[in-house]
Amino acid sequence: MERVLRLLKINLVAAFLILSSSGAFCQKLKVNDLGYFETRGLNVLVFSNRYNGYFFDEKTAGIELIHHGVRTATGGAVRLRSTPEQWDEIPTVVERKVDTTNNSIEVLLRYEDYDFDSRVVVTAAVQGVMIDVYLDKPLPEKLIGNAGFNLEFLPSAYFEKTYLMDNSPGIFPLYPQGPTVEKPDSLKIQQHAGHSTFDGHGRQIYVDPLPMAEGSTLVLAPEDPEQRVEIQSTGTELMLYDGRNIAQNGWFVVRSLIPANKTGKVVEWHLTASTIKNWTRKPVIEFSQVGYHPEQEKRAVIELDENDAPLKTASLYQVTQQGDYVKKLTADVTRWGRFLRYKYVTFDFSSVKDPGLYFIKYGDQQTDAFPIDSHVYDDVWHQTLDVWFPVQMDHVEVKDAYKVWHGAPFLDDARQAPVDEEHFDGYRMGPNTGTKYRPGEHIPGLNVGGWFDAGDYDIDEPSQCETILNFSATWQQFHPEIDETYINEKTRYVDIHDPDGKPDILQQIEHGVLQQLGQQKAFGRAIAGINEAHLYEYVQLGDPAQVTDNKIYTPRLKPYQVEGDSSGTPDDRWAFTNDLPWLNYLSIASLASASRSLKGFDDSLADECLTVAEQSWIRQQQDTASATGVEMLPAFFRHAAEIPADLQLMICTKDKKYGDRFEKLIWSALDKAPEFAIETAALAIPYLGNEYKVKLEPYVEKYKKEDEDLLKKNPYGVPIGTGHWAGDQEVVRWAVTNYYLHEAFPKIVGPEFTVRGIDYIFGCHPYSNISFVEGVGTHSKKTAYGNNRADFSFIAGGVVPGVLILQPDFAENQENWPFIWDENECVINICSDYIFLANAVDNLFGR
Ligand SMILES: [Ca+2]
Ligand SMILES: [Ca+2]
Ligand SMILES: [Ca+2]
């Protein structure tokens, strides 16, 4: 097919190029003070962001292009595969030199496993950059034919667009269409710790993509002045690949192989990207897509290009039944200042309180319509509980009307994980199992309850416990009786939009508790979690019931041989049985809290939760042996983790021994990490009396001062994290903590911090104004990193991580490409926290 395309020399294309280039504008890039190449409409970043190693290739590192405000290319680096997957080898940056005088940035990259160094030098050129790769020593033997210089282009940015390779036209495929080739395993460059993302099903092979086009000059999207990029290679062939052929999250990759037996300059590319003259990014009016309660503060933040002159005013219009627009308010905007790369003004329309539908107008920009109404928060969390959580439920089949979300998965849980194994997804066993089970032995009682932690299919223990605690707190504070799901644990069957007369939140607590009890009964404590045994299982998308064969592994059978409920395929998940006291205390806290929620719903289960929690607490207090496994938390947090368990058991039993431990630990925790301890401290007020409350007050005063300082840090007035995972979780947690403090100390902490937190989640945030709750609000996340991400879809009610801050100054939340997990992957603890927050905000304004 590709040969045929190449033969189709269409002269029209050349004519079109000449026409379209008339809209382009030529100027030289400069390295700015922040250490990246800049011209209006185009930035070239050279390892401003590095591979951090935790989740390997996150598609947020290397040479990157920000083209007319969108990050369209990443991963510019010397790589060892044509289309690197997440778990492939990544280079380390040994050295990075920024030369603002000569407008160049140079990085020294190293692959330690191969003792292989390369230097990548990027120099400003007219309308683009020169990219040169240098070697001091010839390529190591093993890397010949494997090492090349790659640059990856965002597929969704080039969907429904074309390319020219040496003037031969092609259309970027919407769905990967090959070509691919099978190769023997012996040729494969090792992936993370010897794991493999490919399941040969007994064959010793792997699959590699072949180029979809080859030549020396490639133009991507020649027809589009906003995204046209041209790469000319001197001395090496350019190859264009589609990485999605071997991994749905792959990108379009442009690559030159590094020639064998050569030193000095081994790759030379001239990259140019078209820019629109005097391009100015359109203002983004950031507001809540869910709308506003009449009595709340109503404040839109307007994000402006640095070359944009702010207008003086913005307006609020009401939309009538007849479809007329009635101007309700015109007010001056307030200049806020600069945050990251943009300028900000704010528009306050708190004075408008009449119920109705409205939109904001700023210049010629008009927002989506949104309500002002006392009922706006009534049901914003329902889909999170009715749809998103059921889909996350492990060990059960889940349906919704005609649709099967998934079958009952992982009924073969679980085998004891082997010791000292370098795993993935943050799991790692220490030198011993800490259990009575031999590595590989089946552990009964674990194939029940629990939720998939996120867009993957593991049972991650910390988030399981936090989720139970969040659900339990929501029930105890607000008693939401909503019933939209049928849940039968015996038949392992869940039906969405099928009320069974039982409150869904209590049924979810029960589902979480069943897994906790399974762990506590098997080990006398909690474990780190349960994860797939093989990387090729971990990366699987679609129905989780197909990840394993659901039959318990028996070594006497051959692979793929089945006998009754046993099979010879070692595909069962592994129980990572690390003995982590802080984690066990978290499990104890969740069981104790759940026991109060389940009282009157399932008394025997409630009693069992409390009995197990108390037994496990006594065992944990006596257990002075060092923890097994790899510790993730610093010593202080490990110590402080006991506090919520003490609190929950104190509330359940009124037993002094728990109260004593609580009071012994809480004050030093408040001194060392108030943001970690203050919510727990506030929860104890009803049980410890007024003297305790008075002693707590100065800590609350101090916390409130920090809340107020946030207003100076960014225009949104919420904490915006800058870590490797975007910060919606921190925002939701912070808003919930402020709610508890407001309830306990209303004269010190007002409700505005809690409301600001939820406004941020609903659209008043950088980069765009979509609601970060899938399906909630007029415009919301529609492509997210759920387990249906390969379908470019979403699971209603999920809350995504949100805006990722890429160094040095670029805030991003990709809307058309679901696979950037640190922006788009919903996790159970944030979603259950969000359910609490939404109920809390509703409660603030009275029901
Ligand atoms: Ca996980
Ligand atoms: Ca129900
Ligand atoms: Ca199995």
Side-chain angles (χ1 to χ4, degrees):
M1 173 59 119
E2 182 221 331
R3 288 269 152 215
V4 178
L5 285 177
R6 278 213 212 175
L7 292 170
L8 293 169
K9 298 274 182 195
I10 301 171
N11 286 333
L12 266 176
V13 172
F16 188 65
L17 247 182
I18 292 158
L19 277 174
S20 74
S21 64
S22 63
F25 177 69
C26 288
Q27 53 193 334
K28 192 161 178 178
L29 279 82
K30 279 204 175 72
V31 176
N32 65 17
D33 292 343
L34 295 169
Y36 62 83
F37 294 93
E38 184 181 16
T39 189
R40 219 159 152 172
L42 176 67
N43 305 153
V44 180
L45 277 59
V46 181
F47 281 89
S48 294
N49 298 284
R50 302 181 183 192
Y51 300 102
N52 61 62
Y54 190 59
F55 285 126
F56 302 88
D57 187 351
E58 303 188 291
K59 306 299 178 201
T60 53
I63 297 173
E64 304 182 87
L65 303 184
I66 298 171
H67 204 174
H68 296 109
V70 181
R71 192 170 61 98
T72 54
T74 192
V78 171
R79 300 301 303 270
L80 309 185
R81 284 190 78 186
S82 50
T83 63
E85 295 174 59
Q86 179 185 351
W87 309 94
D88 282 316
E89 293 256 5
I90 45 177
T92 318
V93 177
V94 179
E95 190 180 30
R96 177 173 180 266
K97 288 189 246 175
V98 178
D99 182 345
T100 45
T101 315
N102 297 305
N103 279 317
S104 86
I105 304 177
E106 175 177 339
V107 285
L108 177 61
L109 302 177
R110 177 164 179 79
Y111 286 94
E112 192 65 42
D113 289 352
Y114 298 92
D115 186 22
F116 169 50
D117 294 327
S118 57
R119 255 181 330 119
V120 180
V121 182
V122 184
T123 317
V126 171
Q127 205 51 38
V129 288
M130 295 300 301
I131 303 175
D132 300 316
V133 181
Y134 295 87
L135 298 190
D136 291 340
K137 289 189 291 185
L139 270 184
E141 184 75 26
K142 175 81 181 163
L143 297 186
I144 294 170
N146 290 312
F149 181 79
N150 291 15
L151 183 60
E152 310 197 7
F153 287 85
L154 181 68
S156 58
Y158 287 92
F159 285 159
E160 300 174 327
K161 288 175 188 158
T162 64
Y163 62 86
L164 288 167
M165 180 69 96
D166 292 346
N167 245 342
S168 293
I171 298 170
F172 282 108
L174 266 183
Y175 194 86
Q177 60 182 27
T180 56
V181 65
E182 259 187 16
K183 290 179 177 172
D185 254 347
S186 56
L187 292 180
K188 191 173 182 180
I189 292 288
Q190 178 175 298
Q191 294 183 284
H192 164 63
H195 294 290
S196 174
T197 51
F198 183 73
D199 177 13
H201 226 76
R203 300 166 301 162
Q204 306 305 307
I205 56 107
Y206 73 107
V207 171
D208 241 0
L210 291 171
M212 43 199 258
E214 291 173 81
S216 59
T217 300
L218 172 68
V219 188
L220 298 96
E223 71 274 35
D224 182 355
E226 279 208 32
Q227 288 191 265
R228 179 182 179 277
V229 172
E230 179 177 323
I231 300 171
Q232 286 179 355
S233 173
T234 305
T236 56
E237 277 256 296
L238 285 179
M239 294 173 286
L240 174 62
Y241 288 93
D242 185 349
R244 299 172 305 155
N245 282 296
I246 57 166
Q248 269 79 3
N249 59 0
W251 290 40
F252 293 130
V253 183
V254 185
R255 172 172 169 90
S256 279
L257 274 177
I258 294 176
N261 306 314
K262 202 176 165 197
T263 55
K265 191 192 280 187
V266 290
V267 173
E268 180 181 324
W269 283 11
H270 182 196
L271 180 149
T272 54
S274 61
T275 52
I276 293 164
K277 191 173 183 183
N278 293 331
W279 178 78
T280 306
R281 184 174 178 258
K282 280 188 180 147
V284 184
I285 307 167
E286 297 156 351
F287 68 102
S288 169
Q289 293 277 354
V290 154
Y292 300 85
H293 190 283
E295 299 308 318
Q296 81 174 87
E297 180 187 48
K298 304 173 200 74
R299 182 172 168 268
V301 174
I302 303 171
E303 186 173 271
L304 299 171
D305 190 289
E306 64 176 343
N307 296 304
D308 201 351
L311 303 173
K312 199 171 169 327
T313 62
S315 300
L316 188 77
Y317 287 77
Q318 187 168 11
V319 184
T320 68
Q321 287 194 78
Q322 291 72 33
D324 296 329
Y325 301 162
V326 181
K327 194 189 277 187
K328 296 285 276 194
L329 173 76
T330 294
D332 285 355
V333 299
T334 307
R335 290 192 186 214
W336 186 85
R338 200 181 165 102
F339 172 60
L340 300 173
R341 63 170 51 197
Y342 302 121
K343 303 191 291 202
Y344 291 86
V345 296
T346 61
F347 169 57
D348 195 305
F349 51 101
S350 303
S351 61
V352 178
K353 297 184 178 193
D354 295 343
L357 289 174
Y358 295 86
F359 64 82
I360 300 163
K361 195 155 190 230
Y362 172 81
D364 57 4
Q365 295 274 306
Q366 177 179 325
T367 66
D368 301 300
F370 58 86
I372 292 177
D373 190 70
S374 58
H375 294 289
V376 289
Y377 297 114
D378 281 3
D379 59 2
V380 291
W381 53 277
H382 285 189
Q383 294 204 323
T384 312
L385 183 65
D386 303 345
V387 181
W388 194 82
F389 263 100
V391 175
Q392 296 302 117
M393 288 170 83
D394 201 347
H395 302 119
V396 289
E397 178 185 350
V398 180
K399 277 191 71 187
D400 180 1
Y402 292 5
K403 179 182 169 72
V404 175
W405 275 97
H406 61 74
F410 305 117
L411 303 182
D412 42 2
D413 273 350
R415 296 171 74 199
Q416 170 68 56
V419 296
D420 276 337
E421 198 249 357
E422 178 79 41
H423 206 64
F424 39 82
D425 195 29
Y427 291 93
R428 193 185 201 293
M429 286 291 288
N432 50 61
T433 65
T435 71
K436 64 182 180 192
Y437 298 98
R438 295 184 311 279
E441 190 177 346
H442 175 73
I443 302 164
L446 297 178
N447 62 349
V448 61
W451 303 276
F452 308 133
D453 147 58
D456 50 5
Y457 296 126
D458 59 312
I459 291 198
D460 172 79
E461 181 62 4
S463 54
Q464 302 287 314
C465 299
E466 285 164 21
T467 298
I468 296 170
L469 281 163
N470 290 335
F471 277 141
S472 207
T474 305
W475 178 255
Q476 288 165 33
Q477 292 268 331
F478 310 112
H479 280 277
E481 300 268 356
I482 180 171
D483 174 21
E484 272 295 336
T485 46
Y486 170 87
I487 298 178
N488 188 326
E489 295 288 351
K490 283 205 180 69
T491 57
R492 299 183 185 272
Y493 183 73
V494 173
D495 195 22
I496 297 168
H497 299 128
D498 175 358
D500 59 3
K502 298 175 183 173
D504 297 339
I505 203 155
L506 292 178
Q507 290 175 299
Q508 289 296 340
I509 292 172
E510 178 184 12
H511 193 70
V513 153
L514 290 175
Q515 173 63 213
Q516 292 307 301
L517 291 174
Q519 294 182 15
Q520 292 282 351
K521 282 183 207 161
F523 311 108
R525 58 175 171 82
I527 59 171
I530 302 173
N531 198 356
E532 283 100 332
H534 308 287
L535 189 55
Y536 58 77
E537 295 180 302
Y538 180 74
V539 298
Q540 193 170 312
L541 296 173
D543 184 358
Q546 307 303 323
V547 174
T548 72
D549 59 12
N550 282 313
K551 295 181 183 304
I552 293 168
Y553 172 63
T554 312
R556 68 181 166 78
L557 299 174
K558 292 195 186 72
Y560 310 108
Q561 190 186 349
V562 171
E563 206 178 272
D565 288 336
S566 304
S567 103
T569 313
D571 64 1
D572 311 14
R573 290 196 299 190
W574 280 349
F576 287 81
T577 55
N578 313 57
D579 186 354
L580 303 165
W582 66 267
L583 188 53
N584 194 35
Y585 279 123
L586 201 53
S587 174
I588 293 165
S590 73
L591 285 169
S593 175
S595 78
R596 298 198 303 283
S597 300
L598 294 171
K599 261 271 176 293
F601 175 71
D602 184 337
D603 286 337
S604 71
L605 187 64
D607 291 346
E608 191 182 355
C609 286
L610 184 56
T611 306
V612 168
E614 288 206 82
Q615 285 167 351
S616 198
W617 189 87
I618 290 165
R619 179 195 167 279
Q620 199 59 69
Q621 290 276 308
Q622 292 164 348
D623 181 10
T624 50
S626 60
T628 62
V630 179
E631 264 302 355
M632 293 171 281
L633 291 180
F636 161 72
F637 286 101
R638 299 204 297 271
H639 202 54
E642 184 191 325
I643 302 172
D646 298 337
L647 171 72
Q648 292 299 335
L649 285 169
M650 173 178 79
I651 299 171
C652 287
T653 65
K654 316 285 183 297
D655 189 327
K656 191 168 172 308
K657 71 178 178 221
Y658 302 120
D660 289 349
R661 285 294 297 169
F662 179 86
E663 286 233 58
K664 187 171 182 324
L665 296 173
I666 190 70
W667 301 110
S668 67
L670 282 167
D671 287 329
K672 284 180 188 155
E675 67 287 352
F676 175 80
I678 201 149
E679 184 178 314
T680 314
L683 283 167
I685 292 169
Y687 312 95
L688 294 177
N690 199 49
E691 201 182 317
Y692 170 84
K693 188 176 178 181
V694 171
K695 196 173 167 189
L696 188 57
E697 206 169 296
Y699 292 97
V700 178
E701 296 270 13
K702 191 161 169 256
Y703 189 84
K704 197 263 178 114
K705 172 82 183 47
E706 280 164 25
D707 278 350
E708 281 173 343
D709 288 348
L710 283 171
L711 278 177
K712 294 171 208 144
K713 289 189 181 149
N714 64 62
Y716 308 95
V718 303
I720 297 180
T722 55
H724 288 299
W725 191 275
D728 279 0
Q729 170 122 38
E730 288 155 85
V731 176
V732 172
R733 278 269 77 245
W734 170 83
V736 168
T737 298
N738 275 293
Y739 172 77
Y740 278 119
L741 297 180
H742 169 68
E743 290 292 291
F745 299 93
K747 287 191 182 136
I748 303 175
V749 179
E752 65 274 18
F753 305 110
T754 303
V755 173
R756 225 188 273 155
I758 208 160
D759 278 356
Y760 183 90
I761 300 299
F762 287 148
C764 190
H765 55 68
Y767 191 77
S768 72
N769 60 16
I770 58 166
S771 162
F772 284 144
V773 189
E774 299 165 298
V776 174
T778 311
H779 248 105
S780 66
K781 258 341 262 199
K782 282 184 299 194
T783 52
Y785 192 91
N787 56 41
N788 57 353
R789 56 190 175 273
D791 306 320
F792 284 63
S793 191
F794 67 99
I795 306 170
V799 185
V800 298
V803 173
L804 185 70
I805 310 296
L806 291 159
Q807 294 303 320
D809 66 347
F810 188 65
E812 178 185 84
N813 180 272
Q814 239 309 326
E815 282 178 50
N816 305 318
W817 186 245
F819 300 104
I820 300 177
W821 57 82
D822 33 17
E823 299 175 6
N824 289 329
E825 183 175 13
C826 307
V827 179
I828 54 173
N829 41 1
I830 183 178
C831 291
S832 51
D833 241 343
Y834 163 75
I835 290 175
F836 183 97
L837 176 62
N839 276 279
V841 172
D842 201 13
N843 193 54
L844 281 176
F845 298 109
R847 283 158 189 266

